[in-house]
Amino acid sequence: FPTRRTSDLMNPIYTEWLWDNTVIDLIGYDSLVARNPYTMDFVPWVSKTFQLGTYNHPTYGTCTKVVFTLRNDVYFQDGTQLTVADIAFTFIEIDDLLAARGLAPPWWISNVQNILSFSILDPLNFEVLLDVKSIFALGWIGGNRILPKHIWKPIVTGVVAPKSGVAWDPTTFAPDPNLIGTGAWRLDEYVSNSHVLLQANRPGSVVNTGINTDPNANSVPVTSTKGFFRLSMIDFNAYTVTQKTKIDPVYPATTIPV
């Protein structure tokens, strides 16, 4: 990926530009749902299933409700399992923690600002109640990126940063210089005004982003013990030479006459 601006941010809280977010999304601060590119329907992603419905609020009237079941095989690239706590932290806690330090909300705050209630039903199931009824509600909350709480809570609360010796600043170029997400790719190299090099998130892959310009901390080698959760073997049947099959690791195969 080419990079054209020295002001690029590898910051999943405050990055605003399209191309910066493209790289961050590929690195993989994944979301609960994703779009099926063939039908444009929402399909489960980090969630295993979701149930979209409504409920009656005494003040707001009919509002949107979504119940999610989380997958149990999603791991961050440092080997830590993604849990409902990471989702609650991203959707509910992070804005308040930033505000307590006098900092601006995340750029994606509009996706989660209508959440009225977030209820953890059990380790894999949780319910989100919104204060509006909208056909866009599933895309708002289901499409929002998820940050690892164990990495970002110390950052946003301002623990002492190892490099600067003062409170960690979540507004810098890359507050987490290791850029730990859950996605299919890992940042292998960043050269401002030149390029971004990504490496596949495979089990056992070791990556050092080389980001040592952030004032908070320098990057370190990180081993992805589990790899990308969608990386798996695919079974398929080939029928005749008059047909070709499109194989996709995520969405159903489609057979196209030739």
Side-chain angles (χ1 to χ4, degrees):
F1 291 85
T3 59
R4 298 174 184 246
R5 301 182 305 277
T6 57
S7 60
D8 289 342
L9 288 177
M10 294 292 103
N11 185 328
I13 294 179
Y14 289 120
T15 294
E16 298 179 8
W17 293 102
L18 171 64
W19 298 114
D20 302 345
N21 277 300
T22 297
V23 174
I24 286 175
D25 288 340
L26 284 170
I27 293 170
Y29 297 93
D30 279 321
S31 53
L32 290 165
V33 301
R35 288 280 192 185
N36 182 325
Y38 305 124
T39 67
M40 296 308 295
D41 293 332
F42 283 115
V43 294
W45 192 250
V46 168
S47 65
K48 183 178 181 180
T49 63
F50 61 85
Q51 298 177 1
L52 181 63
T54 61
Y55 74 101
N56 291 318
H57 189 276
T59 302
Y60 303 124
T62 303
C63 298
T64 298
K65 173 179 72 173
V66 191
V67 178
F68 293 97
T69 298
L70 192 64
R71 294 176 65 113
N72 64 356
D73 59 351
V74 182
Y75 290 82
F76 291 105
Q77 292 157 357
D78 63 354
T80 304
Q81 188 172 13
L82 185 149
T83 70
V84 177
D86 299 297
I87 301 165
F89 168 73
T90 307
F91 289 9
I92 304 298
E93 297 177 48
I94 193 169
D95 180 38
D96 292 336
L97 294 174
L98 291 169
R101 297 182 63 188
L103 298 173
W107 75 271
W108 35 259
I109 188 64
S110 60
N111 289 343
V112 297
Q113 66 184 4
N114 291 109
I115 294 177
L116 188 64
S117 170
F118 186 107
S119 301
I120 300 176
L121 307 178
D122 61 45
L124 293 177
N125 293 278
F126 60 98
E127 178 187 73
V128 182
L129 303 182
L130 277 70
D131 60 9
V132 295
K133 179 184 178 183
S134 174
I135 61 172
F136 302 109
L138 178 61
W140 292 338
I141 56 176
N144 199 72
R145 62 180 49 138
I146 301 167
L147 304 184
K149 180 177 181 177
H150 68 286
I151 290 176
W152 281 94
K153 186 170 184 178
I155 292 174
V156 299
T157 55
V159 301
V160 175
K163 189 174 179 180
S164 67
V166 297
W168 214 301
D169 183 356
T171 68
T172 58
F173 169 73
D176 171 22
N178 301 310
L179 291 170
I180 300 299
T182 54
W185 301 96
R186 306 181 67 190
L187 182 66
D188 193 31
E189 185 178 56
Y190 172 91
V191 179
S192 182
N193 297 314
S194 175
H195 66 275
V196 171
L197 179 65
L198 304 180
Q199 179 186 132
N201 179 20
R202 300 184 183 278
S205 62
V206 182
V207 166
N208 187 334
T209 66
I211 295 178
N212 296 319
T213 57
D214 192 88
N216 294 292
N218 291 334
S219 65
V220 297
V222 178
T223 301
S224 179
T225 57
K226 300 292 185 178
F228 182 45
F229 68 97
R230 291 278 183 171
L231 185 64
S232 60
M233 298 293 293
I234 303 170
D235 295 325
F236 68 96
N237 295 317
Y239 294 98
T240 71
V241 294
T242 61
Q243 303 281 316
K244 70 177 182 180
T245 302
K246 182 179 180 66
I247 305 298
D248 189 294
V250 178
Y251 302 106
T254 56
T255 301
I256 307 170
V258 294

